[in-house]
Every structure is written in C-alpha cells, then in structure tokens.
Amino acid sequence: MNATHLNRSGPGPLAWWIVCRRELQELWAGGRALMMLLVYTVVIGVLTFLMVSNSQLDLTPPKEMVWSTLQTCMYVGVFMGLLIGADTLSGARERSALETLLLTPASRTQIVLGKFLASMSPWPVALAVTFPCLLVVSQGDPILWPALKWVGFVGTLLVVGFTGLGILVSFWSNANRTSLFTSVTIYLLFLLPALLPGQAQKGLVGKFFQRSNPLAAADEFLEKVIVNNRSLHDYGSWLKGPYTFPIVVIVLLFVYAAPRLRLEAGGASLFRLRKDLEVAA
C-alpha cells in the first residue's frame, strides 16, 4: 500500500479512512472481490433457475425458496469476509507492504480498523446481487421484505464476527497460506454443524453446541422466523450466539491485537520486550 498520503496528512483521526480507501481500491480495482462476486453471481443465478424450475414440479413454497437463497447469500458473504480478513495482515507481510504501513503516522489500531472495514465491503454488494434473484423466487410473497431485513441484520453480525476472526488469524500468521488454510478450517468447523439435520442435534449437549455456534444459531432463528412464521419472542434466545460472537471478536481484535500489530506475526513476547528495554537502557 502506498503510504504517501498518510505521511503527508499526519496521524489524524481520519487515518483509518485513508487506509480503508486504499484497501478498497486494491480489493476492488485489483479484482479479488470482483472475482469472488462473479463466481457467486453465477452460482446464485444457477441455483435460482433450478429452484424456480423445480418449484413448478414439487410446488415448493416461495418462503422456502426465499430462505434458501438468503441462506446461500449469508454463508457466502461470511466466507468472503473471512477469506479477505485472513489475507489483510499475513498477505501484507508477504508482499512487504506492512512494513511501509507501520512506518506511517497512523496508529496501529487505525490501520487495523481501515483494513477491517474494507474487508467487509463485499457483503452489501452480495446482498444487492442477490436481490433480483429474490424477486424471482418470492413470486410476490410478502415474506420477501421481512426476510431481507432479518438476514441483512443477522448476516451483518456474522460478517463482522468472521471478518474480525480472519484478521485475528492473519495477525498470528507470517505465511498467507497458513492464515487462509486455518481460516477455511475454522469456517468449516462452524458451518458443518449448522448443516446437520435437526434430528442430529437433539439433547442438551446438541442444543448447547447449536446455540453456541453463531452460524447454527443464526440459521435456526432465521429459518423459524422466515419459513415457519415464528415470532422474535419465541426464538429470540437463539440470537445470543450471533450477538456475543462479534462482540468477543471485536474486543480481541481492537483491544488486544491491533495495538500490538508489528512486522512479525503475533504480539511481542514479554521476554523480547524485556530484552529490548535492557538494550535501550
């Protein structure tokens, strides 16, 4: 990242916006985000065509098709945020861009904040791409707007949490390959239990892990509200996981990790810090 503008403007409160703007330019003009969205557009278009074709044979209700479309959008949006977040710091280390950025007047927290906001940018675009497909599968059903509202809200919570999680993994990784592999593995560990049928999650232990998993809890809540017309009062407790997860990640990212950002992965150890103080003395 070219840090000339940061050097000229000083540390100021808008340094995070300068970092964010440069990251957005690299992400979108560089083509990484566009390529992901292009693949997603093709996938969601094919799925929409198949759902509409099959609905004429098996009479699938529009509510279920709306939910399936939005579920795919949410999972893909979370995955894109996680992947881009996993590349932010470890990728910058490999491209020798992080050292230049750390030499600018911007604080380390502002650097991480700018990268964090840019990493979430594909999510609203993915929702916009999905909207025409929703108009087709909803077939005029009034569930479209409440479903879009709920998935937009809950999906944003998940995108915030998983994007921050990807940046945390990137914070601890020197190699970009390690960061991406670890992030994908973590995503699958969250995703696979969410895809298990309800019969496999009976009992106190199964329900505990389902509620603790933000993806599974969000999936259960949204399906009951969108497809089964259940109320927030009945299933609001399922939102504890999607609420708590991004809060914990944001606290770890901006209170612990961001101020300790350095050229090497992870924060400085106490032994190294004491050695540096002795040398300085």
Side-chain angles (χ1 to χ4, degrees):
M1 171 181 171
N2 188 352
T4 304
H5 194 9
L6 277 173
N7 286 323
R8 291 177 179 176
S9 61
L14 293 180
W16 63 269
W17 167 242
I18 298 173
V19 174
C20 179
R21 188 175 60 187
R22 294 294 303 177
E23 288 293 319
L24 286 172
Q25 182 178 351
E26 292 182 4
L27 186 62
W28 291 94
R32 283 186 297 158
L34 288 176
M35 184 60 65
M36 290 182 181
L37 283 169
L38 177 60
V39 173
Y40 169 68
T41 302
V42 173
V43 170
I44 199 65
V46 171
L47 290 177
T48 301
F49 174 77
L50 293 176
M51 280 192 292
V52 173
S53 300
N54 293 333
S55 68
Q56 298 175 357
L57 301 175
D58 54 18
L59 301 178
T60 305
K63 290 180 180 180
E64 292 187 10
M65 293 191 292
V66 168
W67 162 233
S68 297
T69 305
L70 285 172
Q71 184 185 42
T72 302
C73 177
M74 183 175 68
Y75 286 161
V76 172
V78 168
F79 186 63
M80 287 192 294
L82 182 68
L83 280 186
I84 296 172
D87 176 72
T88 53
L89 301 179
S90 58
R93 288 188 181 103
E94 287 194 348
R95 295 187 290 268
S96 301
L98 186 59
E99 182 178 7
T100 303
L101 195 58
L102 291 175
L103 293 176
T104 65
S107 69
R108 283 160 169 74
T109 300
Q110 291 190 49
I111 292 173
V112 174
L113 177 59
K115 288 178 172 290
F116 172 73
L117 294 175
S119 298
M120 293 193 300
S121 61
W123 167 237
V125 183
L127 278 176
V129 168
T130 309
F131 184 70
C133 300
L134 292 171
L135 291 177
V136 174
V137 300
S138 65
Q139 301 175 10
D141 194 293
I143 194 61
L144 171 61
W145 297 108
L148 192 60
K149 177 190 70 174
W150 277 116
V151 172
F153 173 67
V154 178
T156 299
L157 290 177
L158 295 177
V159 170
V160 168
F162 279 92
T163 302
L165 181 61
I167 297 177
L168 279 173
V169 173
S170 188
F171 172 79
W172 289 104
S173 303
N174 277 319
N176 202 31
R177 181 180 301 178
T178 302
S179 178
L180 292 174
F181 177 79
T182 303
S183 297
V184 171
T185 302
I186 292 174
Y187 178 74
L188 292 177
L189 290 176
F190 278 103
L191 178 65
L192 293 179
L195 298 179
L196 289 175
Q199 293 80 1
Q201 302 181 21
K202 298 295 183 181
L204 293 177
V205 176
K207 291 182 178 180
F208 171 77
F209 282 108
Q210 189 181 22
R211 288 175 181 265
S212 301
N213 182 346
L215 274 181
D219 191 278
E220 179 72 14
F221 171 79
L222 292 171
E223 183 178 10
K224 290 298 187 291
V225 170
I226 295 172
V227 179
N228 300 329
N229 295 322
R230 304 302 292 269
S231 66
L232 177 63
H233 176 74
D234 294 334
Y235 275 82
S237 61
W238 286 88
L239 288 176
K240 290 181 180 179
Y243 272 127
T244 305
F245 176 66
I247 292 174
V248 172
V249 170
I250 291 301
V251 170
L252 288 175
L253 179 61
F254 290 105
V255 175
Y256 172 76
R260 294 169 173 81
L261 177 64
R262 60 195 182 99
L263 192 58
E264 296 82 11
S269 65
L270 293 178
F271 176 78
R272 177 169 182 169
L273 181 60
R274 185 175 65 180
K275 183 177 180 180
D276 290 343
L277 290 175
E278 291 175 353
V279 171

